[in-house]
Amino acid sequence: SQTIHQWPATLVQPVGSPLSLECTVEGTSNPNLYWYRQAAGRGLQLLFYSVGIGQISSEVPQNLSASRPQDRQFILSSKKLLLSDSGFYLCAWSVTGELFFGEGSRLTVL
Amino acid sequence: QKEVEQDPGPLSVPEGAIVSLNCTYSNSAFQYFMWYRQYSRKGPELLMYTYSSGNKEDGRFTAQVDKSSKYISLFIRDSQPSDSATYLCAMSAGGTSYGKLTFGQGTILTVHP
């Protein structure tokens, strides 16, 4: 069966520090991969998606970037965090249309 | 106007009640409709996935889509305390956009014993 792993689960970072969140999917090949963000009291917002290695599409202009170095690995990064980057970051995968989420990474920027 | 509107609640019901959760949307291109359940501090879990208008049943859950009214619903029968969570509706246009979901704000549900 397919599983998705995200880490770290929780992190607290100072403003201006870098960020790296990682996501890996097991049990499937060539999935579409997604990064969503859920801010407090708001719905989920799509940040990036990828249909293959090295292929990244950005949905909203922001302080973040994404990379896909391997078929089942998706990374969310920032060079300098802003207070507004705080939130719950969710990686997701899809092959047949249904979207499955990981457990999320909760980021607090102070 | 948001593309997807969902009453955030909170909704509180006694155990055993029938729960009705609803979303409206404005984008006629939406073809695929989903309901997710999210427990506190966890990732969303896919409950129901439907295409086009009609009903789909899975155990105690029934998803209903009315494309003519741009209205979707999730019914939970015989609700249990373990159903207490935030329920998110989501939808997409499908095709190359099938994983690019537009979400409602979520409805907070509490089922009390």
Side-chain angles (χ1 to χ4, degrees):
Chain A
S1 64
Q2 300 88 355
T3 57
I4 181 169
H5 303 282
Q6 271 189 253
W7 70 94
T10 306
L11 66 166
V12 179
Q13 297 284 98
V15 169
S17 64
L19 171 73
S20 180
L21 301 179
E22 295 197 30
C23 169
T24 59
V25 180
E26 296 177 358
T28 187
S29 296
N30 196 31
N32 283 11
L33 297 174
Y34 305 82
W35 280 110
Y36 280 81
R37 178 171 59 199
Q38 187 174 34
R42 299 173 62 180
L44 280 78
Q45 180 185 37
L46 178 62
L47 302 177
F48 300 95
Y49 71 96
S50 170
V51 299
I53 296 173
Q55 301 179 61
I56 308 296
S57 296
S58 173
E59 288 295 298
V60 293
Q62 58 204 320
N63 185 40
L64 303 169
S65 62
S67 63
R68 186 171 177 174
Q70 301 180 41
D71 180 45
R72 289 171 289 176
Q73 183 183 24
F74 206 22
I75 297 171
L76 184 70
S77 304
S78 174
K79 292 183 179 178
K80 288 186 177 182
L81 284 168
L82 306 172
L83 286 174
S84 57
D85 292 324
S86 293
F88 192 42
Y89 289 83
L90 291 152
C91 182
W93 69 272
S94 182
V95 172
T96 58
E98 297 162 297
L99 194 66
F100 299 97
F101 286 91
E103 286 300 295
S105 297
R106 187 165 302 278
L107 170 66
T108 302
V109 183
L110 301 175
Chain B
Q1 182 190 6
K2 295 180 182 177
E3 274 193 295
V4 179
E5 298 277 359
Q6 183 177 7
D7 186 343
L11 186 60
S12 181
V13 302
E15 183 175 356
I18 296 174
V19 176
S20 173
L21 304 167
N22 312 293
C23 289
T24 59
Y25 63 96
S26 57
N27 189 344
S28 299
F30 288 145
Q31 299 287 335
Y32 297 86
F33 305 91
M34 286 134 275
W35 285 95
Y36 285 85
R37 177 174 63 195
Q38 186 176 24
Y39 292 114
S40 181
R41 308 183 77 80
K42 298 291 186 181
E45 172 193 8
L46 181 63
L47 284 177
M48 302 290 280
Y49 177 78
T50 57
Y51 170 72
S52 198
S53 288
N55 292 359
K56 181 177 181 180
E57 187 174 321
D58 184 0
R60 295 186 295 112
F61 299 91
T62 300
Q64 205 170 69
V65 174
D66 182 348
K67 290 186 67 181
S68 63
S69 301
K70 296 188 177 64
Y71 188 87
I72 69 171
S73 301
L74 178 71
F75 297 96
I76 307 174
R77 291 183 301 279
D78 188 25
S79 57
Q80 303 295 310
S82 59
D83 294 326
S84 299
T86 297
Y87 288 80
L88 300 158
C89 65
M91 44 202 81
S92 78
T96 57
S97 302
Y98 62 71
K100 298 166 65 176
L101 303 185
T102 301
F103 281 83
Q105 188 177 353
T107 299
I108 299 170
L109 171 67
T110 301
V111 181
H112 50 86

